[in-house]
Amino acid sequence: MSRSEIIVHANDAGCDCHRITGSAPAVPIVALDFEASCLPKHGRSYPIEVGIAHTADTARSWLIRPHSSWRGWDWTQEAENLHGLTRERIARDGMPVEQVAIELRDALSGACVVADSPIDGHWLRTLEAAAQIGPIATIVELRSLLDDRSISSAAVFDAIKRVDALPLKRHRAGDDARWLATLLTELDLINAAESAPLFTWSSANGRLRA
């Protein structure tokens, strides 16, 4: 999946991503990323971490304790080698799916949530189902937004090159959300100068983890 194939999630709390036109967005944009037990093509995968970011400096993440309904689902060493999280770590330090889902929904209220792969939507729905919570977000393709803003493929690829040249960590949910938020800033879809935080820390457990 190319990093330019971005998906926008429109939060149900009154957000309309199609109103993002002109020089400034009508609603804030927040980047989202999941880490998971494996890719869906390798088996039944479940989310183990979710991160969100408004800028490279405004981010939070949650480790997710595996839900009982995911028992027996798949885990690959390939995925573990990439994100560095072990089953023991998420069982010990992860938060219950219900708490993660509620805090994530509250943090994203009123925002358009952007992910760089449709697979993130799959893991979001998996989280929602386990938590038995209504939709945290609905998925809208970014193509119409890019068309509205007249952002060309060449401009996207140039922005990716600039962001990849920065010393940003990768392959943890919060770090990847920061990468995406930085890309969206490069594309002038996020106002990096905005001083007011779009979400607050509800607990120390929600902060980005090593």
Side-chain angles (χ1 to χ4, degrees):
M1 177 66 65
S2 167
R3 286 175 180 165
S4 64
E5 295 180 75
I6 301 170
I7 300 296
V8 174
H9 296 71
N11 192 292
D12 287 340
C15 173
D16 183 355
C17 287
H18 295 287
R19 290 189 295 116
I20 305 176
T21 58
S23 60
V27 292
I29 294 179
V30 175
L32 175 144
D33 185 80
F34 276 97
E35 299 297 332
S37 62
C38 67
L39 291 175
K41 66 180 181 180
H42 294 149
R44 299 187 71 188
S45 67
Y46 55 89
I48 62 174
E49 186 179 43
V50 59
I52 58 176
H54 175 56
T55 68
D57 300 317
T58 309
R60 66 179 292 183
S61 67
W62 298 257
L63 286 178
I64 304 168
R65 185 184 307 156
H67 190 258
S68 59
S69 65
W70 302 340
R71 189 172 294 117
W73 288 25
D74 295 286
W75 181 284
T76 64
Q77 190 62 47
E78 178 184 2
E80 183 176 325
N81 291 342
L82 190 63
H83 52 60
L85 294 168
T86 64
R87 296 186 188 193
E88 294 75 19
R89 170 81 186 278
I90 60 173
R92 181 186 71 241
D93 296 338
M95 298 167 61
V97 294
E98 297 84 0
Q99 183 178 356
V100 173
I102 290 171
E103 292 190 9
L104 183 62
R105 181 186 61 188
D106 291 347
L108 298 176
S109 178
C112 285
V113 184
V114 181
D116 62 3
S117 170
I119 297 175
D120 290 296
H122 165 76
W123 289 318
L124 181 63
R125 292 188 295 272
T126 302
L127 175 66
E128 292 168 349
Q132 296 185 329
I133 190 172
I136 294 171
T138 56
I139 298 175
V140 179
E141 290 191 12
L142 185 59
R143 183 177 300 275
S144 61
L145 174 58
L146 296 178
D147 288 344
D148 275 348
R149 298 295 298 274
S150 299
I151 300 175
S152 67
S153 296
V156 173
F157 290 130
D158 286 345
I160 289 173
K161 290 179 182 178
R162 292 194 298 273
V163 175
D164 278 344
L166 299 174
L168 296 174
K169 295 180 180 180
R170 297 302 308 273
H171 306 308
R172 288 292 300 273
D175 294 329
D176 284 353
R178 282 172 163 166
W179 182 94
L180 181 56
T182 305
L183 174 64
L184 295 173
T185 301
E186 287 290 318
L187 293 170
D188 294 326
L189 292 173
I190 287 179
N191 181 4
E194 193 172 35
S195 57
L198 296 180
F199 39 81
T200 57
W201 305 99
S202 60
S203 68
N205 288 334
R207 292 183 182 273
L208 287 169
R209 304 179 181 203

